[in-house]
Amino acid sequence: MKVLQFCALSLGLLLLVHCAISVKQHQNLLLDLDEPYDGIPTDLYVECIAAMLISCVSIVWSSRPFSSIMISTVYSKKSHDDLHTRPEFMIFNHRGMRMNR
């Protein structure tokens, strides 16, 4: 499933890059032919919109499910000891280790 999500996102992003390169090539072609620039062709509009849709859908598809914003549902499954545990403040490399040798 993750591979399919990654492929869909890659396809959308590659289509966006292709669309940007095609627009720049179209502008350069019109400059070389000394024709006025009337905007980008319709097929590039369609390609850009399709690429945006594919990219947005694949990003939403690959995201994780939302967590609950209700605090009671989050903490109802935890014990009292789990609520006050802060592992980021645990220090294992302190001078007490040297004193116990």
Side-chain angles (χ1 to χ4, degrees), residues 31-55:
L31 282 174
D32 289 342
L33 297 175
D34 293 330
E35 292 184 12
Y37 180 69
D38 296 335
I40 63 174
T42 308
D43 62 339
L44 292 178
Y45 276 121
V46 171
E47 181 181 355
C48 185
I49 291 172
M52 286 295 293
L53 286 174
I54 291 172
S55 297

Side-chain angles (χ1 to χ4, degrees), residues 26-93:
H26 179 69
Q27 287 176 347
N28 290 338
L29 178 68
L30 291 179
L31 282 174
D32 289 342
L33 297 175
D34 293 330
E35 292 184 12
Y37 180 69
D38 296 335
I40 63 174
T42 308
D43 62 339
L44 292 178
Y45 276 121
V46 171
E47 181 181 355
C48 185
I49 291 172
M52 286 295 293
L53 286 174
I54 291 172
S55 297
C56 289
V57 167
S58 64
I59 287 171
V60 169
W61 185 27
S62 64
S63 66
R64 292 182 288 176
F66 292 123
S67 60
S68 178
I69 61 171
M70 299 293 293
I71 197 79
S72 61
T73 60
V74 173
Y75 288 121
S76 66
K77 300 174 188 130
K78 294 188 177 191
S79 68
H80 186 347
D81 294 332
D82 291 338
L83 295 177
H84 297 292
T85 303
R86 294 187 178 105
E88 62 268 7
F89 292 116
M90 290 183 187
I91 300 170
F92 297 108
N93 188 13

